[in-house]
Amino acid sequence: MSSEHMQIGEVAARTELSLRTIRHYEESGLVIPSARSQGGFRLYTEADVARLMVIRRMKPLGFTLDEMRDLLDATDRLDSGEELPPAERDALLTRVRGFEQAARRRVEDLRVQLARADEFAATLAERLAGATTH
């Protein structure tokens, strides 16, 4: 096995994803192991780890598997090194920009939810503090 390849256990540790989740993303076509060992074990590269990190970051923002696939397809085309016609390149950049804007909106929504959760926890703490003094 080449030093540039990692087995799924190492990838799971590095990405903080479970083996089951990585396999699910493979079955969904979001990430494909770059190689297989002679024994049939999945082997991953740094590029595969980077791809899984994109997926991991999209998941808590509520992006669907189809949305993840769409973004990854767009970035794969942009990163292919292939000369793209200007109209196609612009369309791909517009798609990525749309994801960036959606991510920012979802992050803001999560900040609002977190602020509300903090307020709720503070209210409970005040209630408990008042209950122990009586």
Side-chain angles (χ1 to χ4, degrees):
M1 175 172 56
S2 163
S3 63
E4 57 199 45
H5 283 103
M6 296 163 268
Q7 289 189 1
I8 193 169
E10 182 180 348
V11 172
R14 290 197 42 203
T15 60
E16 298 178 350
L17 294 169
S18 69
L19 301 177
R20 183 175 178 208
T21 297
I22 294 170
R23 288 184 189 113
H24 173 69
Y25 291 151
E26 179 185 347
E27 290 165 8
S28 300
L30 292 173
V31 66
I32 306 298
S34 291
R36 293 267 181 174
S37 70
Q38 289 181 345
F41 294 105
R42 297 166 173 84
L43 298 176
Y44 298 87
T45 63
E46 287 296 331
D48 299 324
V49 170
R51 189 174 185 89
L52 283 164
M53 292 303 292
V54 169
I55 295 165
R56 193 188 94 184
R57 291 176 180 124
M58 291 180 81
K59 185 69 175 152
L61 295 176
F63 287 101
T64 66
L65 294 178
D66 286 338
E67 289 170 324
M68 293 175 190
R69 191 174 298 106
D70 187 32
L71 174 64
L72 291 167
D73 288 345
T75 56
D76 287 349
R77 291 285 294 138
L78 287 167
D79 296 343
S80 70
E82 181 183 330
E83 185 69 30
L84 299 173
E88 181 179 354
R89 181 174 163 70
D90 290 346
L92 291 168
L93 289 171
T94 297
R95 278 170 52 196
V96 173
R97 201 169 292 113
F99 279 102
E100 187 265 342
Q101 291 167 350
R104 289 192 183 280
R105 283 191 305 272
R106 292 174 186 194
V107 165
E108 186 54 37
D109 290 346
L110 287 172
R111 284 190 176 114
V112 169
Q113 288 180 0
L114 182 58
R116 289 177 182 155
D118 281 340
E119 289 171 6
F120 175 65
T123 300
L124 292 175
E126 287 172 18
R127 177 178 283 274
L128 288 171
T132 57
T133 59
H134 290 211

